Amino acid sequence: MPSVQAFEHPPADKDYEFDCLVFIGRFQPPHLGHVAVIREALKQARQVIVLVGSAWQARSLRNPWQFTDRQNMLTASFDNEENQRLEITPLLDALYNDDVWVRDVQRRVRDLTIPENGKLPRIGLIGASRGQSSYYLSLFPQWESVSVPVVEGISASHIRERLFRSQGSSDDYLSTGAFHDLPPGVIEYVHKFCKEEAYWRLIEEQQLLDQYRQAWSDAPYPPIFVTVNAVVVQSGHVLLVRRKAAPGKGLYALPGGFINAHERLLDACLRELRERIRLKVPEPVLKGSLRGQRLFDEPHRSWRGRTLAEAFYFALRPDQQLPRLKPVKGGDHARWIALADLEPDSLFEDHFFIIQNFLGLPADFGTS
C-alpha cells in the first residue's frame, strides 16, 4: 500500500498547467497564507519562482527579517521534493520607479525559467484574490493570472505587531496565539530571532512608535507630517549622517528634518544643512548648485506614519577637497560616503531610493 507521502507529490512526468508560476511578496514573516499560495502553485506549475521583495532593506518594524532569514523560513516550510521545484530569489525595491521594478522582475523570471522541450514557457502570476496581486497583474499583462482564495484572519502586519509588543519574550508571543498563523519551520526561526540583538532594537522602536501614536491619539484626523531632505553630492560622494538613536540607530540617513510652521521648504532644507550639519558651503553656492527637487510620498516610507519628504538635490562642483563638516554637539555624525560604498540595507527608511532617484543609479546598485 503506497504511503501518504506518495500521494502528496505528483510524479516527475506529470503534465502541469503552467511551466512556471511567479509569486511576489515580502514574507515578513512567511505565514500559513503564503504557504497555501505556494502549495497551490506547486500543484499547477512545474516550477515556482518566489520573489522576495524588500530584499536589501535595513531592519525595521516593517521589514524585521533580511532576505536570507526569509529564504530559510520559506525553505523550512516545504519538503525536499517541493524545494527542488522552488526558486526563492531576492528582489530589490524601486519605490519611485515602477518601470525599473518591473524590468527587474521580468529579467529575474526570464533568467530563472527552465525551458521545456525548446518551447516558450507558459508563465503565470499567482496571488491571493485581494491585496497587491491585482496591482501586480496590471504591470505584467504578458503573464496569465492565477488567483487563490485568501486564508482569512492572517495578517503579517498583525503578526509583527504582536511579536514586538510581547515584552521581549518569544514565550510571551507564544501565549498570544500568534504562532498559530506560522508554519513550524518559521516558528523555530522566530524563536531564535527573539534572542538576537536586532530583536531588542526593534522592541525599543515599537515602544517609541506606540508613544508617538499615543501623543497624536486625540487628533481629529490622522496626522500627516512634512519633512525635508538634502541630497548633496560632490566628486562621487554623498553627504550622510549616522543616526545615534532609535529609530534606525546606527543607520545612515540624508540630512534633513521637520519644517518649521512659517518656513518654506527650501529654506528648511538649507537651515538643516547650516545648523545641524555645519556644512562649510556658502548658501548662495548651495542655491546655485540646486539641480532638482521632488516629493517622496510612498505611504509606508516612514515609521512615524504618513510622512511626506521633499528632497532637494545639490550637485556641487567637483574638487579634490570635499567640503568640511563641523561636528554638532549631541547631533548625528555627518560624513561623506563614496557612492560605490552605498548599500540599501545601511540606509534609513527610503533614503537609498531617494538618492537612486536623483542620481539614476541602476536597480542592482549595491546588491552584489
Side-chain angles (χ1 to χ4, degrees):
M1 181 176 180
S3 66
V4 175
Q5 186 84 351
F7 284 110
E8 290 180 344
H9 302 305
D13 59 351
K14 175 182 174 179
D15 290 329
Y16 293 101
E17 187 174 353
F18 290 90
D19 294 295
C20 175
L21 281 175
V22 181
F23 185 31
I24 304 172
R26 288 190 308 116
F27 310 102
Q28 292 280 13
H31 53 61
L32 292 175
H34 296 135
V35 170
V37 173
I38 295 173
R39 288 199 187 284
E40 182 60 31
L42 288 166
K43 291 179 183 177
Q44 298 191 36
R46 180 168 49 86
Q47 178 190 19
V48 176
I49 297 175
V50 179
L51 297 177
V52 180
S54 302
W56 287 278
Q57 292 289 88
R59 290 191 194 270
S60 67
L61 292 174
R62 180 170 163 78
N63 292 297
W65 291 281
Q66 297 175 329
F67 166 70
T68 52
D69 300 325
R70 290 173 281 164
Q71 182 184 42
N72 290 334
M73 290 180 190
L74 285 165
T75 300
S77 302
F78 299 93
D79 63 30
N80 289 335
E81 191 278 337
E82 291 167 327
N83 278 310
Q84 288 177 6
R85 295 193 289 127
L86 278 178
E87 288 284 350
I88 302 170
T89 190
L91 189 64
L92 177 65
D93 291 344
L95 293 185
Y96 302 103
N97 192 327
D98 277 349
D99 291 332
V100 169
W101 184 82
V102 168
R103 174 177 173 269
D104 192 24
V105 172
Q106 291 173 338
R107 290 182 65 180
R108 288 182 182 276
V109 172
R110 180 200 65 190
D111 294 343
L112 289 170
T113 302
I114 302 171
E116 179 77 1
N117 299 326
K119 298 179 181 178
L120 288 175
R122 183 182 179 188
I123 300 174
L125 186 65
I126 192 168
S129 55
R130 71 180 183 200
Q132 285 192 300
S133 57
S134 58
Y135 171 68
Y136 290 154
L137 263 175
S138 67
L139 300 176
F140 303 99
Q142 74 273 35
W143 296 340
E144 299 180 51
S145 166
V146 178
S147 183
V148 297
V150 174
V151 178
E152 296 292 344
I154 300 181
S155 164
S157 61
H158 292 163
I159 292 171
R160 294 193 302 272
E161 286 182 7
R162 288 193 291 261
L163 177 62
F164 297 118
R165 289 196 178 109
S166 62
Q167 305 303 313
S169 168
S170 59
D171 293 331
D172 290 339
Y173 182 61
L174 181 60
S175 68
T176 67
F179 276 179
H180 296 164
D181 298 335
L182 302 177
V186 175
I187 293 174
E188 181 180 348
Y189 276 95
V190 172
H191 270 302
K192 292 179 181 177
F193 177 67
C194 288
K195 299 176 182 178
E196 298 175 5
E197 181 184 353
Y199 173 68
W200 293 99
R201 287 192 178 186
L202 293 176
I203 286 280
E204 179 185 4
E205 293 199 7
Q206 183 67 59
Q207 292 170 347
L208 287 172
L209 178 57
D210 290 342
Q211 294 171 11
Y212 204 83
R213 288 174 173 171
Q214 182 62 34
W216 291 93
S217 60
D218 293 331
Y221 302 101
I224 299 178
F225 305 100
V226 180
T227 62
V228 291
N229 286 112
V231 181
V232 185
V233 177
Q234 179 177 312
S235 304
H237 290 71
V238 61
L239 180 60
L240 298 175
V241 297
R242 193 91 181 245
R243 295 181 62 85
K244 296 177 65 176
K249 182 178 180 180
L251 297 177
Y252 285 111
L254 291 167
F258 292 96
I259 65 170
N260 293 330
H262 305 290
E263 192 174 39
R264 299 191 68 175
L265 294 171
L266 178 58
D267 292 334
C269 185
L270 295 172
R271 171 180 55 77
E272 291 285 339
L273 291 173
R274 180 177 62 252
E275 296 179 0
R276 297 184 62 182
I277 307 301
R278 303 281 181 90
L279 176 64
K280 294 301 180 180
V281 176
E283 189 167 298
V285 175
L286 277 174
K287 288 184 175 180
S289 304
L290 182 61
R291 295 293 179 265
Q293 73 180 84
R294 179 179 171 182
L295 179 68
F296 293 88
D297 60 352
E298 204 280 327
H300 300 290
R301 63 171 301 275
S302 175
W303 75 285
R304 304 178 190 93
R306 197 72 170 98
T307 305
L308 310 180
E310 185 76 10
F312 296 85
Y313 169 40
F314 302 93
L316 301 178
R317 180 178 296 179
D319 196 295
Q320 285 191 329
Q321 295 293 324
L322 295 168
R324 289 187 298 113
L325 307 168
K326 185 177 179 180
V328 180
K329 186 177 180 180
D332 295 327
H333 180 65
R335 60 178 295 188
W336 293 98
I337 302 293
L339 295 179
D341 294 334
L342 284 180
E343 297 289 348
D345 60 2
S346 69
L347 269 79
F348 184 55
E349 293 186 340
D350 63 343
H351 292 196
F352 174 84
F353 303 105
I354 294 176
I355 298 170
Q356 181 187 55
N357 184 268
F358 283 120
L359 301 188
L361 304 178
D364 58 351
F365 183 90
T367 62
S368 58

